[in-house]
Amino acid sequence: MTALPAHWLDKDRRELRLKESAASDRIYELLTTACALVVPALVVSIAVAIFAAAWPAFAKLGLSIVTSSNWDVAGGHFGAAPAVFGTLVSSAVALVIATPLAIGVAIFLSEFSPVWLRQPVGFLVDLLAAIPSVVYGLWGIFVLIPLLREHVMPFLRDTLHLGATPFFSGPAYGPSMLAAGVILAIMALPYISAVSREVLMAVPRSQREAALALGATRWEMIRDAVIPYARSGIIGGIMLGLGRALGETMAVTMLIGNRPEISASLLAPGYTMASLIANEFSEATNDLHLSALMAVGAVLFIITLIVNAVARWLVWSVARSRAQ
Amino acid sequence: MIKTVRSIAVAISAAALLSGGVVSAQSVDLTGAGATFPYPIYSKWFADYAKSTGVKINYQSIGSGGGIRQLSEQTVDFGASDGPMSDQELAGAKGGPVLHFPTVMGAVVITYNIPGLNRPLNLSGDVISDIFAGKITKWNDARIVAQNRGVALPNSDVLVTHRTDGSGTTYIFSDYLSAVSPSWSSSLGKGKEIKWPVGIGGKGNEGVAGQVKQTPGSIGYVELAYAKQNNLPYANVRNAAGRYVSPSIASVTAAAGSMKLPKNTDYRVSIANAPGKESYPISSMTWILVYQNQPDRVKGTKLVNFLRWAYKDGEKTAATLDYAPLPASMLAQLQSRLKTIRIAGTRVGDAR
């Protein structure tokens, strides 16, 4: 940069640098492309392996795997309808409990919390995601189930008279769809909350100021200016939580009671697909049994795929409606 | 510079490719896989055996089903199972005839939670099977009361808890129920998974025990060793001779001792509801599975030597971990049965 830069030298150097950068760019491009290709290749190979292993069961049993309720290994009947039902219901219960709670936490942290409280509370919520699921299961057995059986379930059924509806009727043993739903809610909560918090924080200051300038109260500002702006991100967080709930195995197996029956009552024990596979895979010796378990895995795979597709669509349509 | 980047990239990709196939240094002599129930005693045996002979055995407790599968595919040197292989499974084994070698015995106990009860319940096979089939639903049912004179039984519901994971424990229990109850045998049968008509499923012994401990009025079944180590209450069960016997190491060994096995037995035998006054009826052996033809001379010799050691020295330590040792008479028969194994085409018996 000083006095006498020979033109030819400078030019040559620039060319050299360009060339060099082009070559390294090329390498990085190749490397990252390879990384990006690994992921779809992995998904495809997992899907192929599962469906190939599941094929004998589908060929022999057809759709009865998802429509029949008779799971009898000794008799050669493999109907996993109760497990499909249990997976969907326990996840739904989890979302019903976790979503308002998680969004409430996120709104508090992004809008109301004093700065000194934001960090520790946020950290603790995130910590929930780091607890191993077997620990959740143990906590569920020793704390949650006795609490549900002795206080919550009798309260719901008798004090609130919800026992008159089919959804809270019958005896309260403890291990139940409700217990599984509550534990899944706690496990899904940090995912929903963390994503919601980030998107709420990312809402531009001008959005808030504009709402306040128009005379909105704080609550109106959040409801009308902040949340609509963050909606697609929050839905994405909910779907992430749902994905977590659908696939969770260990904690649910320890709490749901593992009874392959479809019951309307949340107090009754149930079963999930992930628990069914985890419970029976290690001792499955006959080929049809193994294949039927793989078929259950394939169904779970498809359900997860559908959930993700629906999530994508929701996020996309919300984003689009806002743009219009 | 480009060259270095490129060579680094090549090195990285080569390392990535290779790492899948690299196996840690060859320090293990034998590998086995199978049942989780005998895992504690097997790992003690393998440790003791390695200490005295230097032979290292790697055992993966992946479950009986997995053990049978891996043996059939010849990916392990021996398998282990809580239930004997079926004829169909034997026919599917790729390495030829498979021999069953019983190692130790276990029992399944009936555990329950009845507040205020201060002595063990007495239960007979037909009552147990009707409880687990959902036909007896109250603790003060006349048939339970008749077997427990002088015990105040509550007028509460019986809540059945069973294993939900495929398990040798369930196999032993349902094998017993099939032996004592014709209606159980015809409707529910025996297996590692049962289509339970009533009750709640727990995962593992700890799942069942946890549920029973916490819920008054519940009943379940767990392994004897687990019940002893966790101080669970358990019932005396009426045996074939009509006596109520408490499960213990002695009463389980007695059950095996009372069985009259034919001379050419393949040891795929059930000792459920065994005769004999002292026998605890819900007992079973657990097996190590080996191919009769061992093509690899080194491995075959090591395997036979280990089994020989297990029967001679290993059995003595079984009781320390709450497993019942095999009766002495059976041990002698098994030692001579080891001689029918062929190592690289030669019978072990002929070589000596």
Side-chain angles (χ1 to χ4, degrees), chain A residues 151-264:
Chain A
H151 303 290
V152 178
M153 287 176 174
F155 175 76
L156 289 171
R157 188 184 52 192
D158 306 327
T159 316
L160 295 182
H161 296 289
L162 290 174
T165 69
F167 306 114
F168 292 95
S169 58
Y173 297 133
S176 56
M177 201 66 99
L178 184 65
V182 171
I183 209 79
L184 284 177
I186 300 173
M187 298 174 85
L189 187 138
Y191 293 84
I192 305 176
S193 165
V195 173
S196 305
R197 192 176 69 216
E198 292 307 315
V199 294
L200 287 175
M201 298 251 209
V203 172
R205 207 179 151 75
S206 56
Q207 186 86 2
R208 295 189 167 87
E209 282 168 355
L212 291 175
L214 288 172
T217 63
R218 208 158 176 191
W219 162 239
E220 284 167 342
M221 171 198 86
I222 294 169
R223 194 189 59 194
D224 298 330
V226 176
I227 290 185
Y229 197 91
R231 195 188 287 147
S232 67
I234 292 176
I235 291 175
I238 294 172
M239 291 300 143
L240 200 65
L242 178 58
R244 170 86 170 133
L246 285 172
E248 173 51 37
T249 309
M250 193 62 183
V252 172
T253 307
M254 291 164 86
L255 302 181
I256 199 166
N258 301 306
R259 179 135 197 79
E261 247 171 37
I262 295 180
S263 165

Side-chain angles (χ1 to χ4, degrees), chain B residues 69-275:
Chain B
R69 277 206 300 280
Q70 295 221 1
L71 182 80
S72 300
E73 297 296 322
Q74 293 179 293
T75 49
V76 291
D77 301 315
F78 65 91
S81 176
D82 293 337
M85 287 169 75
S86 65
D87 291 342
Q88 195 192 347
E89 284 163 354
L90 283 175
K94 289 186 179 160
V98 174
L99 299 182
H100 284 64
F101 284 97
T103 49
V104 291
M105 287 176 297
V108 172
V109 306
I110 311 295
T111 183
Y112 44 79
N113 180 344
I114 305 175
L117 194 72
N118 52 14
R119 66 178 222 214
L121 272 186
N122 286 339
L123 295 172
S124 63
D126 57 317
V127 166
I128 296 172
S129 90
D130 281 356
I131 289 175
F132 281 86
K135 292 176 190 160
I136 293 180
T137 57
K138 290 279 184 190
W139 276 111
N140 61 354
D141 186 280
R143 289 163 67 198
I144 304 180
V145 171
Q147 295 178 4
N148 295 278
R149 294 275 172 225
V151 177
L153 288 162
N155 177 28
S156 60
D157 288 339
V158 176
L159 174 60
V160 169
T161 307
H162 55 78
R163 286 286 288 271
T164 184
D165 46 333
S167 151
T169 309
T170 299
Y171 179 85
I172 296 167
F173 187 51
S174 57
D175 183 34
Y176 163 74
L177 293 176
S178 298
V180 295
S181 161
S183 70
W184 184 283
S185 170
S186 61
S187 60
L188 298 161
K190 62 180 173 183
K192 287 167 189 158
E193 294 97 358
I194 296 290
K195 189 179 183 329
W196 297 97
V198 289
I200 278 180
K203 185 167 170 55
N205 282 301
E206 64 283 1
V208 172
Q211 177 65 22
V212 171
K213 255 185 185 169
Q214 283 187 25
T215 322
S218 58
I219 187 167
Y221 61 92
V222 294
E223 280 158 14
L224 170 63
Y226 186 85
K228 282 179 85 110
Q229 284 152 16
N230 291 281
N231 293 317
L232 304 177
Y234 41 77
N236 299 331
V237 179
R238 191 162 75 192
N239 65 15
R243 299 218 324 189
Y244 291 95
V245 177
S246 174
S248 69
I249 288 166
S251 62
V252 175
T253 302
S258 71
M259 296 297 288
K260 296 278 170 284
L261 297 180
K263 241 195 146 39
N264 59 347
T265 177
D266 63 0
Y267 288 94
R268 290 194 293 155
V269 288
S270 161
I271 55 170
N273 207 29

